[in-house]
Amino acid sequence: MVRKQAAHNKSLPLRTPSDLGQNAVEDIAGALNALLADVFALYLKTKNFHWHMSGSHFRSNHLLLDEQADQLFAMADPIAERVRKIGGKTLRSVGHVGRLQRLSDNDAEFVTPVDMMLELRDDNHRLVTILRAAHVTTSSHNDHASTSLIENWIDEAERRYWFLFETTRD
C-alpha cells in the first residue's frame, strides 16, 4: 500500500492549495522569487566583500559585513517557504538566481574597502525599493502573511543601508 501511494504521489502537481487564487499566487510567487534571487546575490556579494576586506577599518567592517550577510541569509528560507505555502514554486539553482536577480554581481579582482561599502550601501538601498514593490504586490492580493514578513525585511534593509551610509561618511 505504501508503494502504491508513493507512485500515485509522483503524478500529483507540486502545488499547495491556497485561497489566494491562481493570478495572486503567480504574481506573489514571481515577486518573491525575484526578491529571493536578489537576496542571494546580495548575500554572496556581502560575503565576498567580507572575505576580501582590508584596510585600517578591517575589523569593524569585516564584522559588520558578516552580521549583514547573516541577516540576508536568514531571509532566504522564509521567502522560499512563503512561495511554497501559497502554492507556488521557488528557485531551483544558481542559474535560476542569475536569471532573476536585479542586483549586480562584483567579480573584480580587487575592490577598495570604501568602494565595497559604497556598493553595498547602494545595493541595500535598491533592495529597500525592491521590497517596497513586493509589498505592493502582496498587499494588493491581501496576502497579509507575506506583507508582514516584507515589512520586517524593509526595516532590516533600511538598517543595513543606514549603517553602511554612516560608515561611508568619512
Side-chain angles (χ1 to χ4, degrees):
M1 183 67 163
V2 173
R3 285 187 184 168
K4 194 174 206 179
Q5 180 71 23
H8 173 70
N9 286 341
K10 288 182 182 179
S11 65
L12 294 176
L14 186 62
R15 187 171 189 287
T16 305
S18 172
D19 67 340
L20 289 172
Q22 189 57 37
N23 287 339
V25 169
E26 289 174 11
D27 289 349
I28 295 165
L32 292 179
N33 279 323
L35 171 62
L36 181 57
D38 289 324
V39 167
F40 274 130
L42 186 53
Y43 165 76
L44 191 54
K45 183 187 284 186
T46 303
K47 287 305 280 191
N48 169 27
F49 290 169
H50 160 81
W51 294 323
H52 295 98
M53 183 55 66
S54 62
S56 59
H57 300 286
F58 168 79
R59 187 177 192 326
S60 60
N61 287 344
H62 183 77
L63 293 173
L64 174 65
L65 297 186
D66 201 31
E67 174 186 304
Q68 292 192 354
D70 287 348
Q71 191 177 70
L72 288 161
F73 189 76
M75 291 172 64
D77 199 47
I79 296 170
E81 287 183 355
R82 189 71 203 139
V83 171
R84 293 289 295 122
K85 286 176 193 176
I86 65 167
K89 295 177 185 171
T90 195
L91 303 181
R92 288 185 156 73
S93 67
V94 172
H96 198 174
V97 169
R99 290 188 297 277
L100 294 180
Q101 77 183 70
R102 295 158 289 190
L103 299 178
S104 62
D105 294 329
N106 186 323
D107 296 326
E109 184 69 27
F110 177 78
V111 181
T112 67
V114 170
D115 287 341
M116 288 178 183
M117 303 306 264
L118 288 169
E119 190 169 335
L120 290 174
R121 180 199 67 190
D122 293 347
D123 285 344
N124 277 280
H125 192 254
R126 174 81 174 110
L127 187 63
V128 170
T129 303
I130 290 166
L131 284 159
R132 289 189 200 286
H135 186 277
V136 169
T137 300
T138 59
S139 60
S140 72
H141 289 294
N142 293 317
D143 179 5
H144 304 295
S146 295
T147 302
S148 177
L149 290 168
I150 291 168
E151 288 168 352
N152 290 322
W153 295 328
I154 289 170
D155 184 57
E156 290 174 2
E158 287 174 334
R159 185 174 192 268
R160 286 191 305 273
Y161 169 76
W162 172 41
F163 275 50
L164 291 162
F165 173 79
E166 291 299 337
T167 300
T168 58
R169 288 182 55 164
D170 291 343

